[in-house]
Amino acid sequence: EESIVLIEADSEEKARFEAETVGKSHEVTYHTCDGRHADWRFIRIERVYDLGDNELIHGCEVFSRFLRKSKV
């Protein structure tokens, strides 16, 4: 799973720390319906982007990318 999370921070270092905290807080271990063991684990922060002084309002786009036809 890839997850994009909005973090408010005063520096990139603080943003990375906060993002790691959020990621680790979503780790979970459980047993599947067929009795097997499954883990969701935080692996890494892929990227940090500074959104600048842009005001984040309802409907504000924070991420987009074009997909190849084969990925749609």
Side-chain angles (χ1 to χ4, degrees):
E1 177 181 1
E2 178 181 23
S3 180
I4 298 167
V5 179
L6 186 62
I7 302 289
E8 184 176 0
D10 296 332
S11 68
E12 182 176 333
E13 182 179 290
K14 177 78 171 168
R16 285 185 176 278
F17 175 80
E18 293 295 332
E20 188 170 319
T21 300
V22 169
K24 287 182 177 182
S25 74
H26 288 93
E27 292 185 333
V28 65
T29 299
Y30 61 94
H31 292 283
T32 63
C33 60
D34 62 359
R36 297 191 312 182
H37 177 85
D39 294 311
W40 283 91
R41 295 287 176 241
F42 171 78
I43 302 298
R44 71 178 177 276
I45 299 165
E46 183 69 30
R47 292 180 207 125
V48 173
Y49 291 102
D50 184 351
L51 299 178
D53 293 329
N54 298 317
E55 183 178 357
L56 300 177
I57 57 174
H58 181 78
C60 178
E61 183 177 307
V62 295
F63 176 82
S64 68
R65 67 178 170 170
F66 290 103
L67 299 174
R68 294 179 183 178
K69 189 174 183 177
S70 63
K71 301 247 183 196
V72 176

